[in-house]
Amino acid sequence: MKVISILGSTGSIGCNTLKVVEHLQDVCVVALGAGKNIEKLAQQIAQFNPEFVSCEDEICAENLLEELHKLRVKTPKIELGEKGLIEVATHEQAQTVVSATVGAIGFVPTLRALEAGKRVALANKETLVMAGELMTKAARENKAEILPVDSEHNALHQCLRGESKREVKRLILTASGGPFRNKSKQEIENATREEALNHPTWNMGDKITIDCATLMNKGLEVIEARWLFDFAADAISVVVHPQSVVHSLVEMVDGSIIAQLGVTDMKHAIQYALTYPTRKPNCLPPLDFAKLAQLTFEEPNLDKFPCLTLAYKALKTGGTMPATLNAANEIAVQAFLDDKIRLSDVPKIIESVMNEHESRTISSLEIILETDAQARKQAIMKLESLEKTASANLR
Ligand code: MG
């Protein structure tokens, strides 16, 4: 039996992980970390019987007890907030920790899992964007492994199996191009929340779906790839591939290209990360070549999608700049989801926060947390001034 714990169990990746667990049958779940989705957490407890769970706060815990009582389910040990997530991440029995919370909240728990020498199946790319150096160092020093669950990086991991790094020329990340690939700059500017949430190929959570619409997701993934595989920014490129069948590619020094193809379902990458180095049959339909009319590729349009350029800039600057980019992006995306700003304001907010940030070397966890808090504050100030301008214009 393999024992796992899940950070972010009620989110999109968390739920898919539990479907994979159901399918594999030789994996059991010892701890679940969730936030506010108590109804779903209660159902997961009823089905998977974990020893330990974590939820956001006191009120959530009370609701959870009530739900479990209704379901007549034995109550596991319950802890709250970040402390709870850290316990999920470091649970003694867990060999693999699936890190699938969204955004910065998963940062410290994921770091603690690596320090505890766990295999981390990483879906939370923000943790590597914020502090890739710290994360990979913790993994090295504690003989912990990071297995990417992000589909592109999972593909790269598969393409790089058995290859010598010296013989690799560059990593090529594919991007679907999001819902606005064929839209004009003006259409993107006036895009509604619903249009931005309508991803053409992948079905994911709200934050990442907006990141796909701005191409920031690909930018974050470039930074993620830098840390996972230790390649410089110049050796990582992005190609738009609207069908999302080729999940990513590796170009070798002799010009050979190795690609990984598959169905667009995150369960594939999740299962790979849980069973690696073994491959097992999964519950997904096979890729049907007869139905793949065509696979197309094109350059990303940096003029329409400035977020990608901002991410490369942050990576090249290094230090605390990627953490600044990430924090400003989280605030801006949430503001867009709350109908407070336009989609085109997202890169503007990020850029102005980055312009005011002086990058520092990451020598400790505290520096990252400080940077994150500071950048959020700055981004909120930018938001407020945007809102003021907007309401003045209306008057
Ligand atoms: Mg991805």
Side-chain angles (χ1 to χ4, degrees):
M1 253 327 188
K2 260 193 192 140
V3 184
I4 70 164
S5 68
I6 306 174
L7 296 166
S9 70
T10 58
S12 166
I13 296 282
C15 291
N16 274 319
T17 302
L18 290 170
K19 285 188 192 143
V20 172
V21 169
E22 233 174 296
H23 165 76
L24 285 175
Q25 297 194 336
D26 62 345
V27 178
C28 73
V29 184
V30 70
L32 295 173
K36 281 186 180 147
N37 193 344
I38 295 309
E39 213 173 303
K40 192 168 266 175
L41 179 60
Q43 288 161 5
Q44 294 178 340
I45 294 168
Q47 190 180 351
F48 295 93
N49 193 25
E51 263 178 32
F52 181 89
V53 300
S54 163
C55 59
E56 191 157 298
D57 52 28
E58 246 355 297
I59 298 166
C60 289
E62 274 167 35
N63 293 339
L64 181 60
L65 287 175
E66 215 169 284
E67 284 289 323
L68 292 174
H69 184 72
K70 265 193 256 168
L71 296 168
R72 296 166 185 268
V73 172
K74 200 179 104 205
T75 308
K77 189 173 172 237
I78 303 172
E79 190 56 76
L80 308 177
E82 191 179 60
K83 184 164 176 278
L85 290 178
I86 291 172
E87 275 194 57
V88 170
T90 55
H91 194 286
E92 216 184 346
Q93 285 172 44
Q95 299 150 322
T96 297
V97 178
V98 178
S99 170
T101 50
V102 177
I105 179 106
F107 172 63
V108 176
T110 305
L111 182 62
R112 296 291 177 248
L114 292 170
E115 287 167 352
K118 312 280 189 196
R119 170 185 288 189
V120 171
L122 187 75
N124 181 338
K125 64 192 82 186
E126 288 89 348
T127 57
L128 279 183
V129 172
M130 286 172 75
E133 211 171 334
L134 224 58
M135 292 284 169
T136 46
K137 186 165 166 264
R140 268 195 313 276
E141 286 175 354
N142 298 286
K143 297 198 169 54
E145 244 178 329
I146 305 176
L147 262 291
V149 168
D150 206 350
S151 64
E152 294 78 0
H153 306 75
N154 189 268
L156 291 172
H157 191 273
Q158 298 193 43
C159 295
L160 290 166
R161 275 176 88 155
E163 300 294 346
S164 146
K165 199 186 154 206
R166 272 177 300 132
E167 294 169 0
V168 175
K169 190 172 167 197
R170 68 178 170 133
L171 310 177
I172 307 165
L173 293 161
T174 52
S176 73
F180 304 130
R181 184 173 59 93
N182 289 323
K183 298 280 190 251
S184 69
K185 233 175 153 171
Q186 182 150 30
E187 283 171 305
I188 296 172
E189 201 169 301
N190 298 319
T192 64
R193 184 176 181 275
E194 283 61 42
E195 287 167 336
L197 283 173
N198 184 22
H199 195 278
T201 50
W202 290 99
N203 188 4
M204 305 171 290
D206 286 357
K207 195 264 178 182
I208 185 170
T209 306
I210 300 302
D211 283 345
C212 288
T214 61
L215 282 207
M216 178 55 96
N217 182 52
K218 215 44 57 179
L220 299 178
E221 289 183 355
V222 168
I223 303 175
E224 182 185 9
R226 184 262 169 268
W227 293 110
L228 281 170
F229 306 110
D230 195 21
F231 282 83
D234 295 334
I236 306 170
S237 33
V238 172
V239 65
V240 173
H241 166 49
Q243 297 82 15
S244 301
V245 170
V246 177
H247 294 324
S248 275
L249 317 92
V250 169
E251 184 180 347
M252 309 302 290
V253 285
D254 63 0
S256 227
I257 307 260
I258 302 174
Q260 189 263 340
L261 286 70
V263 290
T264 46
D265 192 311
M266 290 308 294
K267 289 195 276 298
H268 176 89
I270 294 166
Q271 180 170 315
Y272 177 90
L274 294 185
T275 63
Y276 177 82
T278 310
R279 286 185 188 268
K280 288 191 174 175
N282 61 25
C283 53
L284 301 172
L287 191 61
D288 186 347
F289 277 93
K291 280 190 192 150
L292 296 177
Q294 54 176 355
L295 299 179
T296 60
F297 300 90
E298 63 196 47
E299 285 284 309
N301 185 327
L302 298 177
D303 181 45
K304 271 176 12 185
F305 301 105
C307 282
L308 186 56
T309 309
L310 292 174
Y312 268 105
K313 200 171 150 194
L315 176 56
K316 285 179 183 165
T317 307
T320 49
M321 195 57 91
T324 300
L325 165 103
N326 180 64
N329 181 54
E330 278 188 32
I331 294 292
V333 168
Q334 192 54 53
F336 175 73
L337 284 169
D338 295 341
D339 287 323
K340 286 184 184 159
I341 56 170
R342 292 185 303 180
L343 193 61
S344 54
D345 291 328
V346 171
K348 286 179 197 154
I349 290 173
I350 300 167
E351 186 171 24
S352 72
V353 173
M354 281 172 68
N355 283 343
E356 282 167 27
H357 178 68
E358 219 170 293
S359 183
R360 293 197 283 165
T361 312
I362 301 173
S363 50
S364 70
L365 174 62
E366 285 64 40
I367 290 184
I368 290 294
L369 297 178
E370 254 173 56
T371 304
D372 181 71
Q374 180 63 26
R376 278 166 203 272
K377 218 192 286 169
Q378 295 278 106
I380 288 168
M381 275 161 55
K382 305 279 172 203
L383 266 179
E384 285 166 355
S385 74
L386 266 177
E387 280 171 324
K388 258 182 221 152
T389 324
S391 64
N393 286 344
L394 278 177
R395 250 180 265 135

